[in-house]
Amino acid sequence: MDIQNHFYGHSAVLAGHAGLRAPRHIPGLYQHGWTPVTPLRTHFADLAHATPPGGLFVWSHDSRGWTERESRMETGFSSTPIGAAALYLARHVEASGMVPQRTIDAVVLPFHGTRLIDVDGDQAGFAREVFEREGSAVVCMHVDDMQKPEIVKAWKDAGHILTTAGERRDPLFLARVMWLVMSAKKVVSNRLATALLYASAVDTPVHIYGPHFQIAGIQETSSEEYLRELWPEFYEDEPNTAQLRKIAEQELGEAYLQSPQELRRVLGWDKRNPRPFIDYWLRSPLAKAEAILGIRDRKVGPLVNEVEVSPFQFFKNPFEHLPGILPRTASTTLVAPSLDRA
């Protein structure tokens, strides 16, 4: 229904689990990142009103940050939990016996901004602290941060190895992230975010420390105090890996994972239907434009990473929100990213 369904390789992983050679159009919207509040506000604000009934697909109804009842009362829409794509990929890799050896001492994923929002923080200070505590680490930078010379310089000057999982439309993005967190002896970040939950779900020890980068226009739901209050186990000096796995499985929707047959049915991939194709290329772009421009009042949002976003922000990169050719391949295996050791 919308390009966001194909961000970060999620639809490629879902297609792989469903036994398809490549993703198809989804009759609805699929959550593409963890959020401490309802994804209906952070991910689906522009198109919730245009989604077919039952088509707001979230990872879980067991998050500590929100409940389905609260979300429905707040937004007026119901959601359908089907589990995170990362869990489908991880469980497939584990079942196939293709789990990589833990050859990386530490992987670092600094909290990052995007082309829509800015993040303020001492990158150089965090880089130095990581080196003092971990030595030279593999730092997975968001692709947008890799375009900022001052951020790249801060981490390279501190002695770290840089990599990136790729552009967000890259169907192998998630395969690279999961290779990193499953190859690491420890995963480090300065904020509780998606990748730490991925790591915890595969028994990789995680550690949160360093400066808490602030999102411009921050709200309470993305403050360090809020995260510490709801998920204190992640902020302990010596986190319990087994305990964190249970929490991560709740947040990522382990209980809601579908069988291949069930997933094909839920996503409408068990039969041919022209409507998702038409929605993707015609109806959804128009509905999104109306919502962004204020022609149609939103019943939900708009928030990005819990930050209210002005319509003018979207004009900075308008083509990011337009539909594109679907990924041409499914994803069922991990992929090692290239490492910049220069």
Side-chain angles (χ1 to χ4, degrees):
M1 178 177 179
D2 186 50
I3 187 60
Q4 66 180 284
N5 291 333
H6 309 288
F7 286 168
Y8 307 121
H10 290 176
S11 65
V13 170
L14 296 180
H17 179 72
L20 304 181
R21 289 182 293 180
R24 296 177 183 172
H25 294 287
I26 295 174
L29 302 172
Y30 180 64
Q31 179 180 346
H32 58 269
W34 179 78
T35 169
V37 297
T38 171
L40 273 66
R41 297 203 68 197
T42 58
H43 292 74
F44 304 152
D46 296 327
L47 290 171
H49 67 279
T51 303
L56 295 176
F57 300 111
V58 299
W59 293 352
S60 176
H61 279 175
D62 298 331
S63 173
R64 291 182 183 179
W66 63 281
T67 66
E68 168 64 4
R69 180 176 179 274
E70 292 169 345
S71 177
R72 189 168 57 248
M73 291 179 62
E74 178 185 355
T75 68
F77 297 99
S78 299
S79 62
T80 302
I82 62 172
L87 285 185
Y88 287 106
L89 181 57
R91 301 303 175 247
H92 180 82
V93 169
E94 291 167 349
S96 64
M98 299 298 290
V99 177
Q101 294 184 345
R102 296 190 182 274
T103 57
I104 304 175
D105 289 336
V107 168
V108 183
L109 295 109
F111 187 58
H112 60 83
T114 69
R115 298 176 190 180
L116 292 181
I117 60 174
D118 294 321
V119 168
D120 298 323
D122 185 0
Q123 295 273 357
F126 187 29
R128 289 192 298 270
E129 181 178 358
V130 170
F131 189 84
E132 291 170 359
R133 300 176 67 156
E134 315 294 346
S136 180
V138 173
V139 182
C140 185
M141 307 293 295
H142 189 278
V143 67
D144 291 343
D145 283 348
M146 288 288 276
Q147 308 305 314
K148 300 175 181 177
E150 69 280 8
I151 295 180
V152 172
K153 184 176 187 300
W155 287 92
K156 282 191 172 183
D157 285 354
H160 299 294
I161 301 166
L162 302 190
T163 189
T164 181
E167 296 283 348
R168 64 178 180 175
R169 296 194 189 198
D170 188 331
L172 298 179
F173 185 105
L174 186 57
R176 296 188 186 97
V177 170
M178 294 307 294
W179 184 90
L180 286 168
V181 302
M182 296 181 79
S183 298
K185 299 175 184 177
K186 177 195 291 188
V187 170
V188 174
S189 186
N190 55 331
R191 182 188 187 273
L192 178 58
T194 307
L196 288 191
L197 293 168
Y198 290 170
S200 296
V202 294
D203 292 321
T204 303
V206 303
H207 206 170
I208 300 175
Y209 61 77
H212 182 80
F213 292 176
Q214 295 285 104
I215 305 173
I218 194 168
Q219 295 182 353
E220 180 183 354
T221 50
S222 57
S223 71
E224 185 173 15
E225 292 75 17
Y226 178 86
L227 296 171
R228 283 181 178 272
E229 180 181 354
L230 263 67
W231 294 275
E233 298 89 346
F234 281 89
Y235 288 87
E236 294 176 357
D237 292 336
E238 296 184 7
N240 184 310
T241 301
Q243 185 179 38
L244 295 190
R245 175 173 178 135
K246 293 179 181 179
I247 297 169
E249 288 177 345
Q250 289 181 317
E251 297 290 332
L252 300 177
E254 179 85 27
Y256 301 100
L257 294 178
Q258 310 287 303
S259 70
Q261 296 79 11
E262 290 170 336
L263 190 63
R264 288 197 296 271
R265 179 186 60 79
V266 169
L267 296 181
W269 288 350
D270 59 342
K271 55 185 178 297
R272 294 293 182 178
N273 181 355
R275 176 173 174 173
F277 174 89
I278 297 171
D279 285 345
Y280 180 78
W281 287 106
L282 297 175
R283 292 174 181 164
S284 294
L286 178 60
K288 184 187 290 187
E290 290 177 341
I292 292 174
L293 296 175
I295 298 173
R296 173 189 289 271
D297 290 336
R298 290 180 173 101
K299 295 182 180 180
V300 187
L303 299 176
V304 177
N305 284 349
E306 305 86 64
V307 176
E308 187 169 357
V309 177
S310 164
F312 296 104
Q313 292 289 333
F314 291 90
F315 293 122
K316 292 182 178 180
N317 294 280
F319 296 109
E320 287 290 310
H321 315 286
L322 295 178
I325 300 298
L326 267 57
R328 299 181 183 278
T329 182
S331 177
T332 59
T333 59
L334 304 183
V335 176
S338 60
L339 303 181
D340 183 358
R341 300 178 181 272

